[in-house]
Amino acid sequence: MTEGLFRGAASFCGLCSPSDSTRPGITLVPVDIIYGINAVSEALKSRGRGFEYVGVARERHDHRVQRIIDECRRVGVAVRFVTRQDIDRLAGTASHQGVVAVTSAKTYAEVEEILGRRRGEHALVVVLDGVEDPHNLGAIIRTADGAGADGVLIPERRAAGVTATVAKASAGAVEHVPIAKITNVARTLEELKNRNVWTVGLDERGSQAYDALDYNMDCALVLGGEGKGLHDLVKRKCDFLVSIPMLGKVPSLNVSVAAAVVLYEIVRQRRNAQGPSDTE
C-alpha cells in the first residue's frame, strides 16, 4: 500500500508534508492507500484499520460500489465522490475499479502470535523465501486464507511487502490473514522447529512428491522466490523437501500456483483425517 502520513482532517490526498511533523498539536499517523472493490470492501469488513475516507469515482453507479458506500455509512466512514482522474493520481494506477481508501497502515503480526492462534487441529504457516512479485504475494495470501493457514511470514528485505498491489491481488485477503515480517528465514525455521513445527520446503529437485508426505502435523510450508527457488541454507534447514511432478517440458510452476497445489493437498489430507462431517 502506498504509504504516507495523515491527520484527522487532511486534504483530499490524505497526505501531510514533512514540515507538518514540527507543527504543534499535529500527530502524524502512518497511512496506506488501498484500491480495488474487493480490497476496500474486505478492509471495511475486517475492522482492522482506521479509515480517513473512501473515495469513489462519480462515474460508478453499480451495485458493487453501492454496497461499499452502504457499508461506509453503516460503520461511519466518510465517502468522497471524486473524478476518476483524482483516484488515478491517489492510487498511482488506473487499475482501481473506481474505489480507493485512505487508511491507517496495516499492522503486522508477530510469529508467536500467529503460532498461538491456530485455526485448526494442526498449525499451518506459509514461509516465503524471497518472493518479489507483488501479484504472486497477493495470490499466495489469498490461497493461504482459503486453505485456512494461520499466517504468512515474509522477509523484511529483498522481498515484496504488503502494498496496494498485493492487497488488490489478494482480493482483500491481506485484511484477514496475519502476516509477520522476519529478518532471517533460516533462523526463523530453526525457531519454528523448536516449537515442534515441521518445516516442508517446496523444491523442484525435492526427492519426495508433495502428495506423499503426511501433513497431519504442525507444519510450515516454505516457498522460494521466482526463478531462484529456495536458498541453499533455507533448504538445509527444512525437515522435508518435496516437489510437484512435472509431466511437460517446463521444470516448475509459478510460485503462487505451486503454493495453491500444496496448500490444498494439505487441506485434503486434513479433511480426510477428520472423517465425514455431521452434515454428510
Side-chain angles (χ1 to χ4, degrees):
M1 279 140 271
T2 306
E3 293 187 358
L5 299 169
F6 78 80
R7 47 193 169 171
S11 62
F12 166 72
C13 66
L15 304 179
C16 300
S17 66
S19 61
D20 281 338
S21 61
T22 60
R23 291 167 57 187
I26 291 179
T27 301
L28 298 183
V29 179
V31 64
D32 278 349
I33 306 299
I34 56 177
Y35 58 81
I37 289 173
N38 287 331
V40 173
S41 178
E42 295 304 321
L44 285 165
K45 291 177 187 175
S46 73
R47 306 291 185 88
R49 300 170 180 263
F51 276 74
E52 187 181 357
Y53 67 89
V54 170
V56 176
R58 296 190 185 109
E59 300 88 346
R60 291 286 310 239
H61 303 289
D62 56 275
H63 67 280
R64 295 180 71 198
V65 170
Q66 187 58 49
R67 281 202 295 264
I68 289 178
I69 294 169
D70 292 343
E71 182 66 12
C72 286
R73 289 171 176 162
R74 189 179 73 82
V75 300
V77 172
V79 178
R80 300 185 185 182
F81 297 95
V82 296
T83 66
R84 182 170 287 273
Q85 290 73 26
D86 285 334
I87 296 182
D88 288 349
R89 285 193 292 272
L90 186 55
T93 177
S95 302
H96 47 63
Q97 301 175 297
V99 179
V100 69
V102 180
T103 76
S104 59
K106 176 175 175 60
T107 301
Y108 287 93
E110 298 293 333
V111 175
E112 290 289 325
E113 178 185 354
I114 290 174
L115 294 177
R117 284 185 176 181
R118 65 179 59 183
R119 296 167 67 177
E121 179 183 355
H122 299 293
L124 175 57
V125 178
V126 178
V127 182
L128 303 183
D129 180 24
V131 171
E132 297 177 347
D133 187 315
H135 296 93
N136 281 335
L137 176 58
I140 291 168
I141 293 170
R142 182 175 185 175
T143 303
D145 178 58
D150 301 308
V152 177
L153 314 186
I154 61 175
E156 282 187 337
R157 290 174 289 185
R158 294 187 291 277
V162 180
T163 64
T165 301
V166 172
K168 187 170 186 293
S170 78
V174 294
E175 306 300 332
H176 304 290
V177 178
I179 301 171
K181 285 186 173 182
I182 54 178
T183 56
N184 186 291
V185 175
R187 189 180 308 130
T188 298
L189 296 186
E190 284 291 343
E191 293 170 358
L192 290 174
K193 291 196 283 188
N194 289 338
R195 293 286 301 269
N196 297 316
V197 176
W198 295 87
T199 55
V200 182
L202 182 59
D203 181 74
E204 64 184 57
R205 290 171 293 279
S207 59
Q208 188 172 9
Y210 77 99
D211 56 353
L213 183 65
D214 185 352
Y215 296 98
N216 287 291
M217 58 184 177
D218 294 339
C219 66
L221 177 62
V222 190
L223 303 165
E226 302 87 352
K228 302 183 293 290
L230 297 173
H231 289 93
D232 288 340
L233 179 57
V234 171
K235 285 184 193 179
R236 293 197 295 271
K237 296 293 184 181
C238 290
D239 295 306
F240 306 96
L241 285 177
V242 300
S243 60
I244 298 174
M246 300 294 293
L247 306 181
K249 303 296 184 183
V250 188
S252 64
L253 297 173
N254 170 280
V255 63
S256 63
V257 175
V261 170
V262 182
L263 283 170
Y264 272 89
E265 172 62 16
I266 297 172
V267 171
R268 185 192 69 82
Q269 289 190 18
R270 292 181 176 183
R271 284 169 62 95
N272 287 346
Q274 291 173 353
S277 66
D278 293 336
T279 59
E280 291 180 344

